[in-house]
Amino acid sequence: DRGSVQNSPKSYDVEYLMPVSLGTPAQQLNLDLDTGSSDFWVFSTLLKESMINGQTLYDPNASTTADKMEGYSWKITYGDQSYSSGDVYVDTVTIGDLTVSTQAVEAAREVSEEFTADSDNDGLVGLGFGIINTVMPYKQKTFFEKAMPGLDSPVFTADLKSGAPGRYNFGYIDDGAYTGNITYVPVNSSDGFWSWVSPGFQVGTTGSFNNTRIHGIADTGTTLLLLPEGVCEAFYGRIASAKYDASQGGYTFECNDSTTPDFYFGTGNGQMIRIPGSYLAYSKIDTSSLRCFGGMQSDSGVGFTIWGDIALKAAFIVFDQGSERLGWAEK
Ligand SMILES: NCc1ccc(-c2ccco2)nc1
């Protein structure tokens, strides 16, 4: 079996949403596929009115195939301090023509204000590893883990684009979606993340390659690229107008600064992925400013590097759960 679904970026590519069908008859929600977590949760009719702001709600009582998992609950807090919690139902879920008939659907009773404010986002599909699912008393499998046995190949791929729709594919690799070769690197899933080691980086075409191993995770659910302080300093040191602006909480530079170099990261056996300098001028710090907040920021608050959407949208990525490895290709 296999599946393919379009993803659509919200403004500034802050997150990418995909249509998902839940229950019988189908209820369609727009969800955020997040390889940095492992809960499948949705806005639901269990929520207090004050927590809803335009989102589409999953109504388990309107689904003939929904069964409540009595005594089960969940609560999750994300790196950006947003959180959600609620009850658990089993129901049928279809993403891009791929159906899982008994998916644990985590129906929210409570969401933090950040989620309430994000009116286009109806919930998250966590495609990290099930070991970090938060359902109690027994953790639940991710959508991919449930689908995997029936797939042609135990992989899913992410093709995120800058300011344009892309695709998530399940169970196969679309050889037309990338150029050159796919370089595979081993994944350590013991923390539940798609954790891998980059051999290093290069700033611009003239800079030398810096052989410094960077431990990090591939995370579709994080907007920015969070790298070690030293890497940020090497990159921003090459941009004339760049500075660390404590009032903005990060590096900023003039959006049109022509000295902005491309950023390359190593994926293994000599391959590098090029992130265009334009991707790193993330967003204007305010409408009247000529300065942009950098798409690359320090990972010092996190403890490991997060290869978020800024990096992922420069590549075609194979999340190979069958072999616990990541495949990287240019496109
Ligand atoms: N890295 C997972 C994740 C995704 C989306 C969000 C989010 C959306 C609106 C408010 O917070 N938070 C965390």
Side-chain angles (χ1 to χ4, degrees), residues 315-331:
F316 176 83
I317 307 104
V318 181
F319 291 83
D320 184 336
Q321 190 151 349
S323 304
E324 293 223 350
R325 61 183 188 166
L326 274 175
W328 294 93
E330 298 244 78
K331 62 188 180 190

Side-chain angles (χ1 to χ4, degrees), residues 10 14-15 32-37 41 43 76-83 112-119 121 123-124 219-223 306:
K10 285 191 48 188
V14 66
E15 62 188 16
D32 179 359
L33 190 155
D34 176 21
T35 59
S37 65
W41 74 265
F43 272 72
I76 191 165
T77 300
Y78 296 102
D80 62 1
Q81 301 318 305
S82 60
Y83 61 84
S112 63
E113 65 201 14
E114 299 90 347
F115 283 113
T116 299
D118 189 1
S119 53
N121 182 329
L124 268 63
D219 183 359
T220 57
T222 290
T223 309
I306 298 184

Side-chain angles (χ1 to χ4, degrees), residues 163-183:
R167 298 199 79 80
Y168 291 119
N169 295 335
F170 302 91
Y172 73 104
I173 292 173
D174 174 1
D175 290 329
Y178 63 90
T179 60
N181 297 317
I182 298 174
T183 297

